[in-house]
Amino acid sequence: MQISYARLSYVMAGVVLILVSIGVAANIVKDRERRQNVAIAMTSGDPTRAAEIFRRYGCVGCHIIPGVPGADGKVGGPLTDLRQRVYIGGVVNNTPENLVQWIVFPQRFSANSAMPATGISEAEARDLAAYLYEQ
């Protein structure tokens, strides 16, 4: 059986495409793991607990939260790309401790904030902060 040069070229191109796709996928996984590890180190929180906390306290009704089904609220700002922002709530520097404190009691930073004191504990806020910095 004779294979033409053109057919061999298509097969080789397919193999190369598969190998490149595997490499890209591996880099995406590594980047996500790196971001998660950094977020955990920054906040001492566990991002795997965040989705349930976001739902329990109603955050999903006010905010767009990446990766959390049903989190499509339009009352508060979207919580996308939070790790890249300079300010939290437009009033306080974006640091892990400020984010945790903002989540627990935003009126400490902005008396007129529409975000209510929700009753979220500091430990839960650390989990939420870890999730948001991981995204």
Side-chain angles (χ1 to χ4, degrees):
M1 178 177 198
Q2 187 176 3
I3 297 177
S4 71
Y5 178 74
R7 177 168 252 187
L8 183 59
S9 294
Y10 287 127
V11 169
M12 292 303 294
V15 169
V16 168
L17 183 60
I18 289 169
L19 292 174
V20 167
S21 297
I22 290 169
V24 168
N27 283 338
I28 290 170
V29 169
K30 284 181 185 178
D31 184 55
R32 179 146 181 106
E33 287 174 357
R34 182 191 57 77
R35 284 196 325 260
Q36 184 178 52
N37 290 337
V38 168
I40 290 168
M42 289 170 55
T43 63
S44 300
D46 181 351
T48 65
R49 295 191 286 239
E52 190 275 322
I53 296 168
F54 281 130
R55 283 189 208 84
R56 181 175 352 130
Y57 287 98
C59 307
V60 298
C62 292
H63 296 282
I64 295 171
I65 306 168
V68 178
D72 56 3
K74 305 287 190 250
V75 176
L79 301 181
T80 53
D81 299 320
L82 194 71
R83 66 185 159 89
Q84 298 175 2
R85 296 188 194 177
V86 176
Y87 297 106
I88 298 165
V91 297
V92 63
N93 289 330
N94 186 357
T95 68
E97 283 308 310
N98 283 347
L99 180 56
V100 168
Q101 293 307 308
W102 174 270
I103 292 168
V104 172
F105 194 63
Q107 285 75 26
R108 286 183 185 150
F109 298 100
S110 177
N112 296 324
S113 175
M115 184 166 157
T118 60
I120 295 173
S121 71
E122 185 172 319
E124 292 167 322
R126 290 188 179 286
D127 295 339
L128 298 179
Y131 180 87
L132 293 171
Y133 283 140
E134 172 188 34
Q135 300 307 304

